[in-house]
Amino acid sequence: LIQGFYGVKNYFYKGNHIGGIYHFLNTLRKSFETYELDKIVVFWDGEEASLSRKKIYHLYKENRKSRLKSEEEISSYNYQRNRVKQYLEEVYVRQGEYQYCEADDCIAYYTQNSLEDNKIIFSSDGDLAQLVSKSTSLYNPSHHKLYTPNDLFIYHNEEILIENIKIVKMLCGDPSDNISGIKGFGI
């Protein structure tokens, strides 16, 4: 949603910006057709999504600034997010949003506990590469690639075997979440 919100700036309906809505639904449609999906589940960050981690590590995501700057941007984003949720309900797409839970945590729980085979995570969040397994693939729209076990994944300009992403994050930290790794230890 956020990619379309900022990337598709010239789509308006009755004076309201709808770039996020257009991009989200069009991406959903393309994925549905490309992978012949029979079920789609969308997870959203819940209210106070980062709070539980910030209680453990107060610097968690402190280096991130909100992209939404003005009251008008916040209002437009919330309008588009709510519309997408309504549209998903109309086409029977399952959704999950839980207070104090980030969407990627919900995705991890779902992929690791669902009995379904051949799950595809659709995200450009590199953290989700940790979830690739024999029953779960990752389609990264930024890379235009579907990742499966034994694939090489581009992480901070380095090619890493996808199964090793977890180890790299444990040793090197995660700068995007403001988590440092072992001092002086690089990828």
Side-chain angles (χ1 to χ4, degrees):
L1 181 63
I2 204 84
Q3 287 176 330
F5 183 78
Y6 286 107
V8 186
K9 293 190 176 280
N10 298 326
Y11 276 59
F12 287 86
Y13 179 73
K14 294 185 179 180
N16 292 319
H17 177 237
I18 59 163
I21 296 170
Y22 172 80
H23 181 266
F24 190 99
L25 295 176
N26 198 39
T27 300
L28 194 71
R29 179 191 57 79
K30 285 180 186 175
S31 300
F32 190 80
E33 291 171 354
T34 301
Y35 297 106
E36 299 176 359
L37 304 173
D38 57 5
K39 179 179 179 181
I40 295 175
V41 181
V42 175
F43 290 102
W44 304 94
D45 282 341
E47 189 177 324
E48 300 289 344
S50 300
L51 189 62
S52 59
R53 285 205 173 90
K54 285 184 181 210
K55 285 181 179 178
I56 297 167
Y57 179 62
H58 74 282
L59 297 175
Y60 179 68
K61 291 189 178 181
E62 283 296 312
N63 57 340
R64 293 188 187 182
K65 299 215 182 332
S66 175
R67 293 183 191 176
L68 303 171
K69 295 188 178 18
S70 70
E71 201 60 44
E72 183 181 338
E73 270 190 344
I74 293 167
S75 176
S76 177
Y77 176 79
N78 287 334
Y79 165 78
Q80 292 185 60
R81 184 175 191 237
N82 289 332
R83 289 308 299 238
V84 165
K85 288 179 172 184
Q86 291 169 352
Y87 295 145
L88 294 177
E89 286 293 320
E90 291 298 319
V91 294
Y92 305 105
V93 170
R94 292 167 178 89
Q95 300 177 72
E97 179 178 7
Y98 307 97
Q99 187 175 19
Y100 309 120
C101 292
E102 294 181 3
D104 53 354
D105 296 323
C106 297
I107 293 166
Y109 182 85
Y110 183 83
T111 58
Q112 294 172 348
N113 292 284
S114 171
L115 300 177
E116 297 156 3
D117 288 332
N118 303 321
K119 296 172 288 277
I120 301 172
I121 299 168
F122 188 98
S123 178
S124 54
D125 184 345
D127 289 349
L128 296 175
Q130 299 173 69
L131 300 173
V132 170
S133 67
K134 63 182 179 185
S135 64
T136 303
S137 305
L138 169 68
Y139 179 78
N140 186 313
S142 299
H143 300 171
H144 304 288
K145 181 172 173 39
L146 180 70
Y147 291 97
T148 58
N150 300 313
D151 281 341
L152 293 175
F153 187 82
I154 306 295
Y155 183 76
H156 292 280
N157 300 317
E158 298 287 339
E159 284 188 336
I160 298 172
L161 189 64
I162 203 154
E163 288 83 357
N164 292 337
I165 294 291
K166 247 184 266 190
I167 294 168
V168 169
K169 286 187 167 288
M170 285 188 276
L171 297 174
C172 300
D174 187 347
S176 69
D177 288 339
N178 203 32
I179 298 172
S180 57
I182 298 171
K183 189 173 181 162
F185 201 87
I187 295 172

